[in-house]
Amino acid sequence: METQSIGTVTLSIAIILIAVATANYLLGPTYDPKEPPVIHQRVPHLGHIIGLIQYGMRYFEILSTRHPLPVFTLQTLGRKIYVVNSPDLISAVQKNAKNLSFNPFVSFVSPRVFGVGEEAMAIINENIDGEEGNWGLLADTSRGMHAALAPSESLDWMTRTMLTKMMEYVDALATSKGGEEISLYKWIRTALTVSSTEAAYGPKNPFNHQSALEDAFWDFESDMTMIILGIAPSITARKGYQARIKFTKALDKYFNDNGPDTGSDLIKARWKYNREYGAAKYAGCFEIGDLLGVLVNAVPTFFWILVHVYSRPSLLADLRNEIAVVTEEVTAEITTSTDMKKKKTIRKITISKLKDQCPLLLSTYQETLRLQTHNSSSRWVTKDTMLADQYLLKAGNVIQMPGYPVHIMSSIYGSDAGTFKPHRFIKTERKNEKGAKQHPASFRSFGGGATLCPGRHFATAELCAATAMFVMQFDVEPVKGPWKIPDWAHGKVTSAVPPPAKDVKVRVRRRQGMEDVEWKFGFEGSVGKFEVLSG
């Protein structure tokens, strides 16, 4: 999932626009008729800024729904925002990474999110635009991350480690015959926070050895709005500010104690380039970017998948039938504590088979992302550019490419684009109403272009496998009333897939007749590449 183009950028844009207000409040930006059409605002100069502050990322979705144009312009104080909704134009933006760059946002957001000063930012900004060649901390780290997270033994290691750790939480769930009541999102948050960080940091993972770090990270994430605003965050975001100190200190200790030696290739690459560029002492702070990428979208995505599946009995039954095909059953003889011989049934789900033999599982995962993603990819116009030989984009302005308006376009996804259709992404059905092949830029959950999420293969493998294991083991129902799809939290600025506005209390029981079955993952063969759309 795209970790570099999320709600933090929207808030950053609002800050930038407010910062130039004093110098520009008498004059709105001049408009060239070759630019995209202007969407007017009720409050001159300030209307769109107010909308951004009030609605965040959702503001672009609201306007795009109200004005279904391929691209339009928002005029504000001294700046313009070009909102791009057409997949063809989105592709054109992504292909021009030099003139339409994400890097200025990195320079603006990093000191606030990482809590670092001029020395650290000088390291980050060195050759950030690649004017002197393809090198620099950002460029080299990005290459190292893409290599570590590509389908390979490195990705297999991370997937094995994550799922093995997660099974500790699954095995401990609902051990009593009557089942167990849990807050679903909170349970997922704990299980995935520890398991996913274990996949990155390995056996010395500080989030596994210090349980308080889970709350520290999520306290920081919850206070991100005020932290990015940068208005006395030690006071206005005191809880998150102090939490950042706590978990980055633990991460610094991890690096100083040679933790990466037994960690993933992902962490080895990040640590290597931090040292090469003289940023070793900032490694703990710089890991915030990695943690946001690993956690803030995976946790809510798993929640939404389970809610969509368990609230649809026919889908749940179909998934169980499909996953049963890749489930192997064996009988083992064990010795009890009283030296009695006993037969035990073991069922194993082989991960490498999920991607090829479970198309409904993979389609359900993608359909969940399609309807629950509320991200927006961002670019800064560094040079006057004609977009697709049609629209003039002027230097010094911002581009936003919101995902949700594209995801509900009937021209792409059909007349039922606004409804959850779990079979939608099965190959035989992946065409628009005119029978045309689906545009690659029409699926925005992982971003695209230069900021295409490097962790998309890991996220897909871990979440599809986790979903398979959960639905095969457990029956889940709300503690009160029937299933209802909850609203999503509109105020979040860090996640492309927002969490629920309110947690759901559920009762989890082991499936009837399977109370004594032992479940495990099988890791024979390479995890490989799950075929999902990406921009």
Side-chain angles (χ1 to χ4, degrees):
M1 296 161 201
E2 185 173 20
T3 62
Q4 296 172 309
S5 301
I6 47 182
T8 53
V9 175
T10 303
L11 192 57
S12 303
I13 294 166
I15 298 169
I16 293 170
L17 295 174
I18 292 171
V20 299
T22 303
N24 295 280
Y25 78 97
L26 291 177
L27 298 172
T30 58
Y31 176 73
D32 188 308
K34 293 192 289 292
E35 291 179 273
V38 173
I39 301 300
H40 296 287
Q41 49 197 329
R42 293 180 180 179
V43 181
H45 307 303
L46 295 174
H48 294 314
I49 296 176
I50 295 170
L52 278 169
I53 294 173
Q54 183 176 0
Y55 296 105
M57 194 67 60
R58 188 165 170 250
Y59 186 62
F60 299 123
E61 298 177 5
I62 293 170
L63 291 181
S64 297
T65 302
R66 193 178 298 164
H67 307 280
L69 300 168
V71 57
F72 55 78
T73 301
L74 307 182
Q75 289 185 302
T76 60
L77 290 165
R79 289 288 186 277
K80 299 171 188 171
I81 302 175
Y82 303 118
V83 181
V84 183
N85 292 310
S86 158
D88 287 332
L89 295 181
I90 289 172
S91 291
V93 170
Q94 293 176 165
K95 290 175 182 176
N96 194 344
K98 187 170 181 64
N99 292 351
L100 311 176
S101 174
F102 179 78
N103 291 335
F105 292 111
V106 176
S107 298
F108 181 82
V109 172
S110 293
R112 297 164 186 259
V113 174
F114 297 163
V116 295
E118 292 182 4
E119 182 181 66
M121 287 311 301
I123 298 171
I124 289 175
N125 287 326
E126 186 179 15
N127 196 40
I128 193 171
D129 292 320
E131 296 293 337
E132 300 175 23
N134 194 16
W135 62 271
L137 179 61
L138 190 66
D140 283 334
T141 300
S142 178
R143 266 194 303 277
M145 291 176 65
H146 277 274
L149 291 166
S152 63
E153 172 52 32
S154 173
L155 178 64
D156 291 347
W157 186 92
M158 289 185 65
T159 305
R160 285 195 303 271
T161 303
M162 184 274 169
L163 294 175
T164 300
K165 190 65 181 180
M166 195 198 74
M167 282 305 295
E168 295 179 15
Y169 292 89
V170 174
D171 288 342
L173 188 61
T175 54
S176 64
K177 290 186 178 180
E180 183 175 347
E181 290 185 8
I182 62 169
S183 296
L184 183 59
Y185 185 81
K186 180 61 173 68
W187 182 88
I188 291 171
R189 198 192 83 170
T190 297
L192 260 64
T193 297
V194 177
S195 303
S196 297
T197 53
E198 190 88 352
Y201 300 116
K204 294 184 179 180
N205 173 26
F207 286 86
N208 184 33
H209 297 291
Q210 301 178 52
S211 58
L213 296 185
E214 177 203 339
D215 286 336
F217 172 78
W218 292 104
D219 285 344
F220 166 73
E221 190 270 344
S222 294
D223 269 353
M224 189 69 81
T225 298
M226 295 308 299
I227 286 171
I228 294 174
L229 280 173
I231 303 173
S234 62
I235 299 172
T236 59
R238 180 173 177 78
K239 191 173 184 179
Y241 187 90
Q242 294 296 328
R244 179 174 62 189
I245 294 173
K246 184 173 187 176
F247 72 78
T248 55
K249 184 177 180 180
L251 287 167
D252 280 331
K253 186 177 187 302
Y254 166 84
F255 286 109
N256 292 332
D257 290 347
N258 300 315
D261 290 350
T262 53
S264 66
D265 287 349
L266 171 67
I267 290 303
K268 288 184 174 76
R270 291 175 66 87
W271 180 228
K272 172 187 175 182
Y273 292 117
N274 278 331
R275 286 179 294 171
E276 286 187 5
Y277 284 95
K281 64 181 177 181
Y282 301 114
C285 295
F286 288 176
E287 275 305 296
I288 290 174
D290 195 31
L291 288 170
L292 291 172
V294 168
L295 297 175
V296 299
N297 293 311
V299 171
T301 297
F302 191 26
F303 170 87
W304 292 116
I305 293 172
L306 294 184
V307 170
H308 280 296
V309 169
Y310 279 102
S311 63
R312 294 171 170 83
S314 61
L315 173 58
L316 177 61
D318 288 345
L319 282 172
R320 283 173 171 168
N321 289 335
E322 181 180 79
I323 298 164
V325 175
V326 299
T327 303
E328 178 186 356
E329 181 175 311
V330 297
T331 302
E333 189 172 74
I334 62 172
T335 303
T336 67
S337 57
T338 56
D339 291 330
M340 296 287 291
K341 299 293 183 181
K342 181 180 178 182
K343 290 185 177 181
K344 186 175 186 64
T345 300
I346 300 173
R347 293 191 178 184
K348 181 177 68 173
I349 299 175
T350 303
I351 306 306
S352 61
K353 295 179 180 179
L354 289 176
K355 67 180 185 297
D356 298 320
Q357 300 183 43
C358 296
L360 179 58
L361 173 64
L362 191 55
S363 180
T364 300
Y365 165 71
Q366 292 180 92
E367 181 71 346
T368 301
L369 285 175
R370 185 182 72 87
L371 287 180
Q372 301 299 155
T373 294
H374 295 274
N375 66 341
S376 186
S377 300
S378 309
R379 301 293 187 272
W380 190 275
V381 185
T382 61
K383 183 179 179 180
D384 284 4
T385 301
M386 286 298 296
L387 182 63
D389 297 323
Q390 290 180 277
Y391 302 101
L392 173 63
L393 307 182
K394 287 190 172 182
N397 295 307
V398 172
I399 298 171
Q400 284 291 309
M401 297 172 282
Y404 190 73
V406 177
H407 286 177
I408 59 170
M409 284 184 177
S410 59
S411 60
I412 298 171
Y413 290 103
S415 57
D416 60 356
T419 61
F420 186 90
K421 182 181 176 184
H423 295 78
R424 189 183 303 276
F425 289 92
I426 293 177
K427 275 186 176 182
T428 56
E429 301 187 23
R430 196 188 299 165
K431 292 183 178 180
N432 63 24
E433 289 191 324
K434 296 180 180 179
K437 190 175 181 180
Q438 192 165 325
H439 197 294
S442 64
F443 191 77
R444 307 300 305 156
S445 297
F446 298 110
T451 58
L452 179 63
C453 175
R456 64 194 183 279
H457 302 301
F458 174 67
T460 301
E462 68 168 342
L463 292 174
C464 285
T467 300
M469 182 59 74
F470 209 88
V471 301
M472 292 304 282
Q473 282 209 57
F474 302 118
D475 286 324
V476 182
E477 61 183 4
V479 171
K480 294 182 179 179
W483 278 105
K484 293 180 180 179
I485 306 298
D487 192 12
W488 51 277
H490 296 275
K492 307 300 282 187
V493 299
T494 56
S495 51
V497 180
K502 187 178 180 180
D503 207 342
V504 177
K505 195 84 170 177
V506 298
R507 183 174 292 104
V508 181
R509 294 187 181 92
R510 295 192 182 273
R511 292 173 64 191
Q512 187 174 3
M514 297 188 184
E515 293 87 352
D516 296 324
V517 174
E518 179 183 337
W519 288 83
K520 59 174 61 178
F521 285 113
F523 299 107
E524 297 84 359
S526 176
V527 172
K529 179 181 179 181
F530 282 71
E531 186 180 347
V532 295
L533 287 176
S534 59

